Amino acid sequence: GSLYLGEPLREVFEGAEATAAQLKDEFVSVEHLLLSLADPGHEGGAQRALAQAGVLELHTWGCHSKTIEKPDQLVIDFDPDPTVPWQNVTQAALELRERLKAMKLESFVKTTGGKGLHVVVPLTPRDDWDTVRGFAQAAVQHLARVIPQRFVARMGAANRVGKIFVDYLRNNHGATTAAAYSARARPGLGVSMPIAWDDLGALKRTD
């Protein structure tokens, strides 16, 4: 028989598109709404379809489906070495938030579902991927340059011993980020969970 994917998922996507249009919010996309839909009328059909396809993690691009060359979010990934205290990770995210606020950029934070944090900046879909990635890269390299004892901008486990790797590569064209509320396929089945900034200090290590 055919894989049970068609009608429930198609209608959920269409419902998300309609909801985004009703909200008239330039930061809302189909991808951002999928995990918050109640799937009315299907009694969980879309979720069952994803499960039947073996889907556990949901990852999204940083753009609207209709403006695929214009990202609508910027993501900075704080990925700590296992020896880094969790308080240092939360403080790093808060420091970035303040630097972004100084540039009049609003930001939000969520857990990665692993041992780190994502800081997400909503964008009006205007600039291209190279521009957004360039900004993210400059921000990350600035942190690594001014506070080298805490941050590193180069990939590789050997480079981040005792430090936090600050990753800007989620902002490449075609790159994806674990969606909010998505489970992660790893021991403990962590979830990428949005957190209010005021609650971040009370959060325990997420892995």
Side-chain angles (χ1 to χ4, degrees):
S2 60
L3 189 64
Y4 176 61
L5 281 176
E7 197 66 14
L9 283 183
R10 183 183 66 79
E11 293 195 17
V12 166
F13 272 90
E14 289 178 353
E17 191 78 56
T19 302
Q22 289 172 2
L23 290 175
K24 294 182 171 59
D25 187 336
E26 63 187 353
F27 301 138
V28 174
S29 69
V30 171
E31 292 84 357
H32 298 158
L33 288 169
L34 278 176
L35 292 179
S36 65
L37 291 178
D39 195 21
H42 292 297
E43 299 180 352
Q47 289 87 341
R48 288 196 301 273
L50 292 170
Q52 187 178 16
V55 174
L56 183 60
E57 297 197 13
L58 297 176
H59 290 242
T60 59
W61 284 11
C63 59
H64 289 69
S65 57
K66 292 184 178 179
T67 53
I68 206 165
E69 299 300 332
K70 308 290 185 182
D72 66 8
Q73 65 177 12
L74 178 150
V75 179
I76 301 296
D77 182 0
F78 289 92
D79 189 6
D81 179 75
T83 63
V84 174
W86 174 248
Q87 182 179 3
N88 289 14
V89 184
T90 59
Q91 185 59 42
L94 289 166
E95 287 179 10
L96 178 61
R97 182 197 186 198
E98 292 305 311
R99 293 172 188 268
L100 291 168
K101 284 175 66 175
M103 293 183 279
K104 302 187 184 304
L105 291 172
E106 185 63 74
S107 61
F108 303 90
V109 65
K110 67 184 182 72
T111 65
T112 63
K115 60 184 183 294
L117 292 171
H118 287 151
V119 173
V120 182
V121 181
L123 303 173
T124 300
R126 179 182 58 222
D127 297 309
D128 61 21
W129 286 98
D130 287 343
T131 301
V132 172
R133 185 189 66 242
F135 175 82
Q137 181 177 6
V140 163
Q141 290 177 340
H142 174 75
L143 281 177
R145 183 170 60 253
V146 300
I147 319 178
Q149 67 274 20
R150 292 177 55 194
F151 301 118
V152 61
R154 295 181 61 189
M155 295 183 68
N159 295 320
R160 65 171 182 172
V161 174
K163 301 180 181 182
I164 300 171
F165 171 49
V166 192
D167 183 4
Y168 65 89
L169 296 175
R170 302 302 91 211
N171 303 289
N172 278 327
H173 185 281
T176 64
T177 303
Y181 305 108
S182 173
R184 304 303 304 273
R186 58 188 63 189
L189 200 65
V191 173
S192 183
M193 180 65 65
I195 302 292
W197 282 112
D198 290 344
D199 295 335
L200 188 59
L203 185 68
K204 303 301 181 183
R205 194 174 181 108
T206 59
D207 59 348

